[in-house]
PDB file of all heavy atoms in Angstrom:
ATOM      1  N   ILE A 352       7.321   4.033 -10.176  1.00 89.00           N
ATOM      2  CA  ILE A 352       6.730   4.908 -11.179  1.00 89.00           C
ATOM      3  C   ILE A 352       5.267   4.489 -11.404  1.00 89.00           C
ATOM      4  O   ILE A 352       4.370   5.288 -11.487  1.00 89.00           O
ATOM      5  CB  ILE A 352       7.482   4.821 -12.520  1.00 89.00           C
ATOM      6  CG1 ILE A 352       8.857   5.459 -12.364  1.00 89.00           C
ATOM      7  CG2 ILE A 352       6.714   5.528 -13.632  1.00 89.00           C
ATOM      8  CD1 ILE A 352       9.724   5.249 -13.576  1.00 89.00           C
ATOM      9  N   GLN A 353       5.101   3.161 -11.472  1.00 93.00           N
ATOM     10  CA  GLN A 353       3.757   2.631 -11.717  1.00 93.00           C
ATOM     11  C   GLN A 353       2.784   3.033 -10.605  1.00 93.00           C
ATOM     12  O   GLN A 353       1.665   3.459 -10.874  1.00 93.00           O
ATOM     13  CB  GLN A 353       3.807   1.110 -11.825  1.00 93.00           C
ATOM     14  CG  GLN A 353       4.599   0.598 -13.001  1.00 93.00           C
ATOM     15  CD  GLN A 353       6.016   0.211 -12.620  1.00 93.00           C
ATOM     16  OE1 GLN A 353       6.731   1.014 -12.044  1.00 93.00           O
ATOM     17  NE2 GLN A 353       6.402  -1.004 -12.968  1.00 93.00           N
ATOM     18  N   TRP A 354       3.217   2.862  -9.370  1.00 93.00           N
ATOM     19  CA  TRP A 354       2.294   3.197  -8.279  1.00 93.00           C
ATOM     20  C   TRP A 354       2.055   4.702  -8.225  1.00 93.00           C
ATOM     21  O   TRP A 354       0.953   5.161  -7.976  1.00 93.00           O
ATOM     22  CB  TRP A 354       2.788   2.685  -6.928  1.00 93.00           C
ATOM     23  CG  TRP A 354       1.755   2.982  -5.889  1.00 93.00           C
ATOM     24  CD1 TRP A 354       1.797   3.982  -4.962  1.00 93.00           C
ATOM     25  CD2 TRP A 354       0.470   2.357  -5.749  1.00 93.00           C
ATOM     26  NE1 TRP A 354       0.633   4.000  -4.222  1.00 93.00           N
ATOM     27  CE2 TRP A 354      -0.185   3.000  -4.692  1.00 93.00           C
ATOM     28  CE3 TRP A 354      -0.163   1.298  -6.405  1.00 93.00           C
ATOM     29  CZ2 TRP A 354      -1.461   2.627  -4.267  1.00 93.00           C
ATOM     30  CZ3 TRP A 354      -1.432   0.934  -5.999  1.00 93.00           C
ATOM     31  CH2 TRP A 354      -2.066   1.593  -4.943  1.00 93.00           C
ATOM     32  N   ASP A 355       3.104   5.467  -8.499  1.00 92.00           N
ATOM     33  CA  ASP A 355       2.904   6.915  -8.606  1.00 92.00           C
ATOM     34  C   ASP A 355       1.800   7.244  -9.599  1.00 92.00           C
ATOM     35  O   ASP A 355       0.953   8.081  -9.367  1.00 92.00           O
ATOM     36  CB  ASP A 355       4.213   7.588  -9.077  1.00 92.00           C
ATOM     37  CG  ASP A 355       5.250   7.638  -7.990  1.00 92.00           C
ATOM     38  OD1 ASP A 355       4.918   7.295  -6.826  1.00 92.00           O
ATOM     39  OD2 ASP A 355       6.408   7.969  -8.276  1.00 92.00           O
ATOM     40  N   TYR A 356       1.834   6.536 -10.716  1.00 95.00           N
ATOM     41  CA  TYR A 356       0.832   6.776 -11.753  1.00 95.00           C
ATOM     42  C   TYR A 356      -0.558   6.400 -11.251  1.00 95.00           C
ATOM     43  O   TYR A 356      -1.521   7.135 -11.419  1.00 95.00           O
ATOM     44  CB  TYR A 356       1.154   5.990 -13.019  1.00 95.00           C
ATOM     45  CG  TYR A 356       0.273   6.361 -14.179  1.00 95.00           C
ATOM     46  CD1 TYR A 356       0.582   7.462 -14.961  1.00 95.00           C
ATOM     47  CD2 TYR A 356      -0.890   5.643 -14.459  1.00 95.00           C
ATOM     48  CE1 TYR A 356      -0.233   7.826 -16.010  1.00 95.00           C
ATOM     49  CE2 TYR A 356      -1.699   6.008 -15.501  1.00 95.00           C
ATOM     50  CZ  TYR A 356      -1.372   7.111 -16.288  1.00 95.00           C
ATOM     51  OH  TYR A 356      -2.208   7.478 -17.307  1.00 95.00           O
ATOM     52  N   GLN A 357      -0.664   5.265 -10.581  1.00 96.00           N
ATOM     53  CA  GLN A 357      -1.980   4.846 -10.084  1.00 96.00           C
ATOM     54  C   GLN A 357      -2.504   5.847  -9.030  1.00 96.00           C
ATOM     55  O   GLN A 357      -3.663   6.196  -9.024  1.00 96.00           O
ATOM     56  CB  GLN A 357      -1.898   3.443  -9.460  1.00 96.00           C
ATOM     57  CG  GLN A 357      -1.696   2.363 -10.509  1.00 96.00           C
ATOM     58  CD  GLN A 357      -2.010   0.972  -9.963  1.00 96.00           C
ATOM     59  OE1 GLN A 357      -1.125   0.240  -9.569  1.00 96.00           O
ATOM     60  NE2 GLN A 357      -3.272   0.606  -9.923  1.00 96.00           N
ATOM     61  N   ALA A 358      -1.574   6.278  -8.169  1.00 95.00           N
ATOM     62  CA  ALA A 358      -1.944   7.246  -7.135  1.00 95.00           C
ATOM     63  C   ALA A 358      -2.344   8.586  -7.748  1.00 95.00           C
ATOM     64  O   ALA A 358      -3.066   9.365  -7.162  1.00 95.00           O
ATOM     65  CB  ALA A 358      -0.816   7.431  -6.152  1.00 95.00           C
ATOM     66  N   CYS A 359      -1.840   8.859  -8.948  1.00 95.00           N
ATOM     67  CA  CYS A 359      -2.117  10.111  -9.626  1.00 95.00           C
ATOM     68  C   CYS A 359      -3.386  10.057 -10.474  1.00 95.00           C
ATOM     69  O   CYS A 359      -3.839  11.070 -10.961  1.00 95.00           O
ATOM     70  CB  CYS A 359      -0.962  10.480 -10.558  1.00 95.00           C
ATOM     71  SG  CYS A 359       0.152  11.662  -9.810  1.00 95.00           S
ATOM     72  N   SER A 360      -3.898   8.872 -10.712  1.00 96.00           N
ATOM     73  CA  SER A 360      -5.017   8.768 -11.624  1.00 96.00           C
ATOM     74  C   SER A 360      -6.257   8.280 -10.898  1.00 96.00           C
ATOM     75  O   SER A 360      -7.222   9.033 -10.694  1.00 96.00           O
ATOM     76  CB  SER A 360      -4.661   7.839 -12.776  1.00 96.00           C
ATOM     77  OG  SER A 360      -4.090   6.621 -12.301  1.00 96.00           O
ATOM     78  N   GLU A 361      -6.265   7.034 -10.438  1.00 95.00           N
ATOM     79  CA  GLU A 361      -7.486   6.379 -10.021  1.00 95.00           C
ATOM     80  C   GLU A 361      -7.505   5.997  -8.544  1.00 95.00           C
ATOM     81  O   GLU A 361      -8.554   5.974  -7.912  1.00 95.00           O
ATOM     82  CB  GLU A 361      -7.636   5.108 -10.890  1.00 95.00           C
ATOM     83  CG  GLU A 361      -8.861   4.294 -10.663  1.00 95.00           C
ATOM     84  CD  GLU A 361      -8.643   2.850 -11.105  1.00 95.00           C
ATOM     85  OE1 GLU A 361      -7.494   2.373 -11.055  1.00 95.00           O
ATOM     86  OE2 GLU A 361      -9.638   2.210 -11.477  1.00 95.00           O
ATOM     87  N   VAL A 362      -6.332   5.642  -8.006  1.00 95.00           N
ATOM     88  CA  VAL A 362      -6.299   5.190  -6.609  1.00 95.00           C
ATOM     89  C   VAL A 362      -5.737   6.315  -5.734  1.00 95.00           C
ATOM     90  O   VAL A 362      -4.604   6.265  -5.265  1.00 95.00           O
ATOM     91  CB  VAL A 362      -5.442   3.916  -6.475  1.00 95.00           C
ATOM     92  CG1 VAL A 362      -5.617   3.286  -5.090  1.00 95.00           C
ATOM     93  CG2 VAL A 362      -5.811   2.885  -7.548  1.00 95.00           C
ATOM     94  N   VAL A 363      -6.565   7.338  -5.547  1.00 96.00           N
ATOM     95  CA  VAL A 363      -6.089   8.552  -4.907  1.00 96.00           C
ATOM     96  C   VAL A 363      -6.495   8.513  -3.429  1.00 96.00           C
ATOM     97  O   VAL A 363      -7.669   8.673  -3.088  1.00 96.00           O
ATOM     98  CB  VAL A 363      -6.681   9.815  -5.561  1.00 96.00           C
ATOM     99  CG1 VAL A 363      -5.978  11.045  -5.054  1.00 96.00           C
ATOM    100  CG2 VAL A 363      -6.599   9.712  -7.078  1.00 96.00           C
ATOM    101  N   ILE A 364      -5.540   8.310  -2.556  1.00 95.00           N
ATOM    102  CA  ILE A 364      -5.817   8.247  -1.136  1.00 95.00           C
ATOM    103  C   ILE A 364      -5.398   9.566  -0.481  1.00 95.00           C
ATOM    104  O   ILE A 364      -4.206   9.908  -0.444  1.00 95.00           O
ATOM    105  CB  ILE A 364      -5.048   7.065  -0.502  1.00 95.00           C
ATOM    106  CG1 ILE A 364      -5.507   5.753  -1.167  1.00 95.00           C
ATOM    107  CG2 ILE A 364      -5.220   7.053   0.989  1.00 95.00           C
ATOM    108  CD1 ILE A 364      -4.767   4.542  -0.684  1.00 95.00           C
ATOM    109  N   PRO A 365      -6.358  10.320   0.007  1.00 95.00           N
ATOM    110  CA  PRO A 365      -6.005  11.605   0.628  1.00 95.00           C
ATOM    111  C   PRO A 365      -5.058  11.347   1.797  1.00 95.00           C
ATOM    112  O   PRO A 365      -5.148  10.330   2.486  1.00 95.00           O
ATOM    113  CB  PRO A 365      -7.354  12.115   1.146  1.00 95.00           C
ATOM    114  CG  PRO A 365      -8.372  11.411   0.334  1.00 95.00           C
ATOM    115  CD  PRO A 365      -7.795  10.069   0.035  1.00 95.00           C
ATOM    116  N   ASP A 366      -4.124  12.268   2.007  1.00 94.00           N
ATOM    117  CA  ASP A 366      -3.107  12.053   3.004  1.00 94.00           C
ATOM    118  C   ASP A 366      -2.653  13.399   3.553  1.00 94.00           C
ATOM    119  O   ASP A 366      -2.361  14.319   2.787  1.00 94.00           O
ATOM    120  CB  ASP A 366      -1.932  11.329   2.335  1.00 94.00           C
ATOM    121  CG  ASP A 366      -0.755  11.182   3.285  1.00 94.00           C
ATOM    122  OD1 ASP A 366      -0.973  10.682   4.398  1.00 94.00           O
ATOM    123  OD2 ASP A 366       0.374  11.597   2.917  1.00 94.00           O
ATOM    124  N   CYS A 367      -2.657  13.523   4.873  1.00 96.00           N
ATOM    125  CA  CYS A 367      -2.154  14.747   5.493  1.00 96.00           C
ATOM    126  C   CYS A 367      -1.735  14.448   6.918  1.00 96.00           C
ATOM    127  O   CYS A 367      -1.938  13.327   7.408  1.00 96.00           O
ATOM    128  CB  CYS A 367      -3.278  15.817   5.509  1.00 96.00           C
ATOM    129  SG  CYS A 367      -4.607  15.433   6.684  1.00 96.00           S
ATOM    130  N   THR A 368      -1.137  15.435   7.561  1.00 97.00           N
ATOM    131  CA  THR A 368      -0.900  15.369   8.996  1.00 97.00           C
ATOM    132  C   THR A 368      -1.239  16.746   9.551  1.00 97.00           C
ATOM    133  O   THR A 368      -1.207  17.742   8.808  1.00 97.00           O
ATOM    134  CB  THR A 368       0.562  15.000   9.314  1.00 97.00           C
ATOM    135  OG1 THR A 368       1.441  15.908   8.610  1.00 97.00           O
ATOM    136  CG2 THR A 368       0.890  13.594   8.852  1.00 97.00           C
ATOM    137  N   ASP A 369      -1.587  16.806  10.857  1.00 97.00           N
ATOM    138  CA  ASP A 369      -1.906  18.127  11.410  1.00 97.00           C
ATOM    139  C   ASP A 369      -1.060  18.494  12.628  1.00 97.00           C
ATOM    140  O   ASP A 369      -1.085  19.639  13.074  1.00 97.00           O
ATOM    141  CB  ASP A 369      -3.410  18.226  11.696  1.00 97.00           C
ATOM    142  CG  ASP A 369      -3.859  17.265  12.804  1.00 97.00           C
ATOM    143  OD1 ASP A 369      -2.991  16.688  13.489  1.00 97.00           O
ATOM    144  OD2 ASP A 369      -5.079  17.109  12.969  1.00 97.00           O
ATOM    145  N   GLY A 370      -0.333  17.545  13.167  1.00 97.00           N
ATOM    146  CA  GLY A 370       0.485  17.844  14.333  1.00 97.00           C
ATOM    147  C   GLY A 370      -0.312  18.067  15.604  1.00 97.00           C
ATOM    148  O   GLY A 370       0.231  18.421  16.641  1.00 97.00           O
ATOM    149  N   LYS A 371      -1.618  17.879  15.500  1.00 97.00           N
ATOM    150  CA  LYS A 371      -2.469  18.048  16.690  1.00 97.00           C
ATOM    151  C   LYS A 371      -3.060  16.703  17.086  1.00 97.00           C
ATOM    152  O   LYS A 371      -2.784  16.212  18.183  1.00 97.00           O
ATOM    153  CB  LYS A 371      -3.594  19.050  16.405  1.00 97.00           C
ATOM    154  CG  LYS A 371      -3.075  20.474  16.268  1.00 97.00           C
ATOM    155  CD  LYS A 371      -4.168  21.405  15.741  1.00 97.00           C
ATOM    156  CE  LYS A 371      -3.561  22.730  15.304  1.00 97.00           C
ATOM    157  NZ  LYS A 371      -4.327  23.357  14.256  1.00 97.00           N
ATOM    158  N   THR A 372      -3.862  16.126  16.202  1.00 97.00           N
ATOM    159  CA  THR A 372      -4.413  14.804  16.501  1.00 97.00           C
ATOM    160  C   THR A 372      -3.422  13.717  16.075  1.00 97.00           C
ATOM    161  O   THR A 372      -3.743  12.534  16.197  1.00 97.00           O
ATOM    162  CB  THR A 372      -5.755  14.611  15.798  1.00 97.00           C
ATOM    163  OG1 THR A 372      -5.550  14.787  14.376  1.00 97.00           O
ATOM    164  CG2 THR A 372      -6.773  15.618  16.260  1.00 97.00           C
ATOM    165  N   ASP A 373      -2.287  14.099  15.541  1.00 98.00           N
ATOM    166  CA  ASP A 373      -1.223  13.121  15.263  1.00 98.00           C
ATOM    167  C   ASP A 373       0.122  13.697  15.747  1.00 98.00           C
ATOM    168  O   ASP A 373       0.187  14.870  16.133  1.00 98.00           O
ATOM    169  CB  ASP A 373      -1.180  12.786  13.764  1.00 98.00           C
ATOM    170  CG  ASP A 373      -0.917  14.000  12.894  1.00 98.00           C
ATOM    171  OD1 ASP A 373       0.093  14.694  13.110  1.00 98.00           O
ATOM    172  OD2 ASP A 373      -1.757  14.294  11.991  1.00 98.00           O
ATOM    173  N   MET A 374       1.154  12.890  15.723  1.00 98.00           N
ATOM    174  CA  MET A 374       2.440  13.308  16.326  1.00 98.00           C
ATOM    175  C   MET A 374       3.362  13.956  15.292  1.00 98.00           C
ATOM    176  O   MET A 374       4.565  14.076  15.520  1.00 98.00           O
ATOM    177  CB  MET A 374       3.130  12.096  16.945  1.00 98.00           C
ATOM    178  CG  MET A 374       3.587  11.039  15.953  1.00 98.00           C
ATOM    179  SD  MET A 374       4.344   9.617  16.772  1.00 98.00           S
ATOM    180  CE  MET A 374       5.007   8.738  15.350  1.00 98.00           C
ATOM    181  N   PHE A 375       2.800  14.376  14.149  1.00 98.00           N
ATOM    182  CA  PHE A 375       3.640  14.919  13.109  1.00 98.00           C
ATOM    183  C   PHE A 375       3.566  16.457  13.086  1.00 98.00           C
ATOM    184  O   PHE A 375       3.600  17.069  14.146  1.00 98.00           O
ATOM    185  CB  PHE A 375       3.327  14.236  11.768  1.00 98.00           C
ATOM    186  CG  PHE A 375       3.511  12.735  11.879  1.00 98.00           C
ATOM    187  CD1 PHE A 375       2.405  11.869  12.084  1.00 98.00           C
ATOM    188  CD2 PHE A 375       4.772  12.172  11.841  1.00 98.00           C
ATOM    189  CE1 PHE A 375       2.582  10.492  12.209  1.00 98.00           C
ATOM    190  CE2 PHE A 375       4.951  10.794  11.987  1.00 98.00           C
ATOM    191  CZ  PHE A 375       3.868   9.960  12.164  1.00 98.00           C
ATOM    192  N   TYR A 376       3.416  17.044  11.940  1.00 97.00           N
ATOM    193  CA  TYR A 376       3.433  18.494  11.813  1.00 97.00           C
ATOM    194  C   TYR A 376       2.359  18.856  10.831  1.00 97.00           C
ATOM    195  O   TYR A 376       1.687  17.981  10.268  1.00 97.00           O
ATOM    196  CB  TYR A 376       4.830  18.958  11.344  1.00 97.00           C
ATOM    197  CG  TYR A 376       5.261  18.281  10.069  1.00 97.00           C
ATOM    198  CD1 TYR A 376       5.059  18.889   8.821  1.00 97.00           C
ATOM    199  CD2 TYR A 376       5.822  17.013  10.102  1.00 97.00           C
ATOM    200  CE1 TYR A 376       5.414  18.220   7.661  1.00 97.00           C
ATOM    201  CE2 TYR A 376       6.186  16.339   8.933  1.00 97.00           C
ATOM    202  CZ  TYR A 376       5.961  16.968   7.709  1.00 97.00           C
ATOM    203  OH  TYR A 376       6.298  16.305   6.563  1.00 97.00           O
ATOM    204  N   SER A 377       2.161  20.132  10.595  1.00 96.00           N
ATOM    205  CA  SER A 377       1.051  20.509   9.723  1.00 96.00           C
ATOM    206  C   SER A 377       1.428  20.339   8.227  1.00 96.00           C
ATOM    207  O   SER A 377       2.280  21.054   7.705  1.00 96.00           O
ATOM    208  CB  SER A 377       0.662  21.966   9.979  1.00 96.00           C
ATOM    209  OG  SER A 377      -0.282  22.368   9.023  1.00 96.00           O
ATOM    210  N   ARG A 378       0.820  19.361   7.644  1.00 95.00           N
ATOM    211  CA  ARG A 378       1.025  19.132   6.214  1.00 95.00           C
ATOM    212  C   ARG A 378      -0.359  18.888   5.616  1.00 95.00           C
ATOM    213  O   ARG A 378      -0.858  17.780   5.643  1.00 95.00           O
ATOM    214  CB  ARG A 378       1.941  17.923   5.988  1.00 95.00           C
ATOM    215  CG  ARG A 378       2.127  17.534   4.535  1.00 95.00           C
ATOM    216  CD  ARG A 378       3.186  16.452   4.348  1.00 95.00           C
ATOM    217  NE  ARG A 378       2.956  15.261   5.156  1.00 95.00           N
ATOM    218  CZ  ARG A 378       2.077  14.298   4.869  1.00 95.00           C
ATOM    219  NH1 ARG A 378       1.322  14.406   3.788  1.00 95.00           N
ATOM    220  NH2 ARG A 378       1.937  13.247   5.672  1.00 95.00           N
ATOM    221  N   PRO A 379      -1.017  19.932   5.117  1.00 96.00           N
ATOM    222  CA  PRO A 379      -2.413  19.786   4.676  1.00 96.00           C
ATOM    223  C   PRO A 379      -2.527  18.930   3.416  1.00 96.00           C
ATOM    224  O   PRO A 379      -1.561  18.754   2.692  1.00 96.00           O
ATOM    225  CB  PRO A 379      -2.843  21.236   4.387  1.00 96.00           C
ATOM    226  CG  PRO A 379      -1.740  22.096   4.837  1.00 96.00           C
ATOM    227  CD  PRO A 379      -0.486  21.275   4.908  1.00 96.00           C
ATOM    228  N   TRP A 380      -3.738  18.451   3.205  1.00 96.00           N
ATOM    229  CA  TRP A 380      -4.065  17.717   1.948  1.00 96.00           C
ATOM    230  C   TRP A 380      -4.470  18.762   0.937  1.00 96.00           C
ATOM    231  O   TRP A 380      -5.489  19.420   1.067  1.00 96.00           O
ATOM    232  CB  TRP A 380      -5.196  16.750   2.228  1.00 96.00           C
ATOM    233  CG  TRP A 380      -5.864  16.106   1.029  1.00 96.00           C
ATOM    234  CD1 TRP A 380      -7.201  16.154   0.765  1.00 96.00           C
ATOM    235  CD2 TRP A 380      -5.250  15.323   0.006  1.00 96.00           C
ATOM    236  NE1 TRP A 380      -7.459  15.409  -0.387  1.00 96.00           N
ATOM    237  CE2 TRP A 380      -6.276  14.896  -0.877  1.00 96.00           C
ATOM    238  CE3 TRP A 380      -3.929  14.916  -0.270  1.00 96.00           C
ATOM    239  CZ2 TRP A 380      -6.038  14.105  -1.994  1.00 96.00           C
ATOM    240  CZ3 TRP A 380      -3.701  14.126  -1.386  1.00 96.00           C
ATOM    241  CH2 TRP A 380      -4.738  13.731  -2.245  1.00 96.00           C
ATOM    242  N   ASN A 381      -3.609  18.934  -0.046  1.00 95.00           N
ATOM    243  CA  ASN A 381      -3.801  19.992  -1.037  1.00 95.00           C
ATOM    244  C   ASN A 381      -4.096  19.385  -2.404  1.00 95.00           C
ATOM    245  O   ASN A 381      -3.200  19.014  -3.154  1.00 95.00           O
ATOM    246  CB  ASN A 381      -2.548  20.874  -1.096  1.00 95.00           C
ATOM    247  CG  ASN A 381      -2.734  22.094  -1.967  1.00 95.00           C
ATOM    248  OD1 ASN A 381      -3.549  22.083  -2.893  1.00 95.00           O
ATOM    249  ND2 ASN A 381      -2.015  23.143  -1.673  1.00 95.00           N
ATOM    250  N   LYS A 382      -5.384  19.280  -2.687  1.00 96.00           N
ATOM    251  CA  LYS A 382      -5.799  18.600  -3.933  1.00 96.00           C
ATOM    252  C   LYS A 382      -5.273  19.340  -5.179  1.00 96.00           C
ATOM    253  O   LYS A 382      -4.875  18.704  -6.156  1.00 96.00           O
ATOM    254  CB  LYS A 382      -7.329  18.535  -4.010  1.00 96.00           C
ATOM    255  CG  LYS A 382      -7.915  17.443  -3.143  1.00 96.00           C
ATOM    256  CD  LYS A 382      -9.431  17.541  -2.997  1.00 96.00           C
ATOM    257  CE  LYS A 382     -10.174  16.919  -4.164  1.00 96.00           C
ATOM    258  NZ  LYS A 382     -11.618  16.728  -3.851  1.00 96.00           N
ATOM    259  N   THR A 383      -5.293  20.662  -5.093  1.00 96.00           N
ATOM    260  CA  THR A 383      -4.846  21.441  -6.273  1.00 96.00           C
ATOM    261  C   THR A 383      -3.379  21.146  -6.585  1.00 96.00           C
ATOM    262  O   THR A 383      -3.017  20.874  -7.759  1.00 96.00           O
ATOM    263  CB  THR A 383      -5.023  22.938  -5.983  1.00 96.00           C
ATOM    264  OG1 THR A 383      -6.322  23.140  -5.437  1.00 96.00           O
ATOM    265  CG2 THR A 383      -4.870  23.752  -7.243  1.00 96.00           C
ATOM    266  N   GLU A 384      -2.574  21.198  -5.543  1.00 95.00           N
ATOM    267  CA  GLU A 384      -1.139  20.946  -5.740  1.00 95.00           C
ATOM    268  C   GLU A 384      -0.906  19.494  -6.190  1.00 95.00           C
ATOM    269  O   GLU A 384      -0.081  19.228  -7.064  1.00 95.00           O
ATOM    270  CB  GLU A 384      -0.424  21.218  -4.430  1.00 95.00           C
ATOM    271  CG  GLU A 384       1.076  21.368  -4.545  1.00 95.00           C
ATOM    272  CD  GLU A 384       1.750  21.413  -3.143  1.00 95.00           C
ATOM    273  OE1 GLU A 384       1.028  21.652  -2.156  1.00 95.00           O
ATOM    274  OE2 GLU A 384       2.952  21.189  -3.068  1.00 95.00           O
ATOM    275  N   TYR A 385      -1.652  18.611  -5.573  1.00 96.00           N
ATOM    276  CA  TYR A 385      -1.520  17.195  -5.912  1.00 96.00           C
ATOM    277  C   TYR A 385      -1.815  16.988  -7.384  1.00 96.00           C
ATOM    278  O   TYR A 385      -1.044  16.366  -8.118  1.00 96.00           O
ATOM    279  CB  TYR A 385      -2.508  16.389  -5.043  1.00 96.00           C
ATOM    280  CG  TYR A 385      -2.353  14.885  -5.077  1.00 96.00           C
ATOM    281  CD1 TYR A 385      -1.606  14.245  -4.091  1.00 96.00           C
ATOM    282  CD2 TYR A 385      -2.984  14.130  -6.037  1.00 96.00           C
ATOM    283  CE1 TYR A 385      -1.462  12.859  -4.104  1.00 96.00           C
ATOM    284  CE2 TYR A 385      -2.874  12.748  -6.068  1.00 96.00           C
ATOM    285  CZ  TYR A 385      -2.112  12.116  -5.071  1.00 96.00           C
ATOM    286  OH  TYR A 385      -1.979  10.764  -5.099  1.00 96.00           O
ATOM    287  N   ALA A 386      -2.938  17.517  -7.828  1.00 96.00           N
ATOM    288  CA  ALA A 386      -3.328  17.345  -9.232  1.00 96.00           C
ATOM    289  C   ALA A 386      -2.320  18.024 -10.149  1.00 96.00           C
ATOM    290  O   ALA A 386      -2.009  17.495 -11.238  1.00 96.00           O
ATOM    291  CB  ALA A 386      -4.735  17.929  -9.450  1.00 96.00           C
ATOM    292  N   ALA A 387      -1.800  19.169  -9.750  1.00 96.00           N
ATOM    293  CA  ALA A 387      -0.822  19.871 -10.588  1.00 96.00           C
ATOM    294  C   ALA A 387       0.437  19.023 -10.748  1.00 96.00           C
ATOM    295  O   ALA A 387       0.999  18.914 -11.849  1.00 96.00           O
ATOM    296  CB  ALA A 387      -0.480  21.212  -9.952  1.00 96.00           C
TER     297      ALA A 387
END
Side-chain angles (χ1 to χ4, degrees):
Chain A
I352 290 172
Q353 295 97 307
W354 184 256
D355 286 350
Y356 189 84
Q357 290 197 262
C359 261
S360 49
E361 182 204 29
V362 191
V363 191
I364 299 177
D366 175 52
C367 70
T368 53
D369 66 11
K371 290 170 193 151
T372 58
D373 59 56
M374 66 182 190
F375 302 99
Y376 55 96
S377 173
R378 175 172 54 78
W380 169 235
N381 186 334
K382 283 169 82 166
T383 313
E384 195 189 344
Y385 190 95

